[in-house]
Amino acid sequence: MTPRRSAGLLLFRRTERGLEVLLGHMGGPYWTGRGAGAWTVPKGEYGDEEPARDAARREFREELGLDPPDGEEIPLGEVRQAGGKLVTVWAVEADLDPAAAVPGTFRMEWPRGSGRHQEFPELDRVEWMDLDRAREVIVSAQTAFLDRLAEHSG
């Protein structure tokens, strides 16, 4: 069985305080009120017929409602998350106003077993964070992307 795969873009910018990354807080009822482990690189799943890099750009657009920025795409490799999903990420140096994001939505049965379907945002918040704060809140496996970005930018 092929593991599920996701691809995404990690935006970063250089400030007087150091590197900052753009992360999104996962939307939907499971993540409401959660901090640590509920933030992610904007990313999404893709199939065998789509190259990972193309999926990363498409998912950025779907997750944030904004075109992915132009710029050098720095490969940060892949990680395997706790649930088994393989995540591949590229970093792009760019600035973006989080208030301009218009996150895509998904539908799910909620409450579970109720027969009612509701729509939720893919990401309910988008914020710039310094690397220390990002490490505190990002999905644990994705900290490797922050470390790789820091090494590349160091």
Side-chain angles (χ1 to χ4, degrees), residues 80-94:
R80 184 179 301 275
Q81 294 186 164
K85 183 186 291 185
L86 290 176
V87 179
T88 305
V89 167
W90 287 263
V92 177
E93 187 169 2

Side-chain angles (χ1 to χ4, degrees), residues 8 11-12 14 25 50-51 75 88 113 117 122 127 130 133 139 147:
L11 265 55
F12 71 98
R14 299 168 200 273
H25 184 271
E50 184 178 23
T88 305
H117 285 79
E122 296 273 356
E127 294 180 17
D130 64 38
R133 172 77 178 129
V139 172
D147 296 339

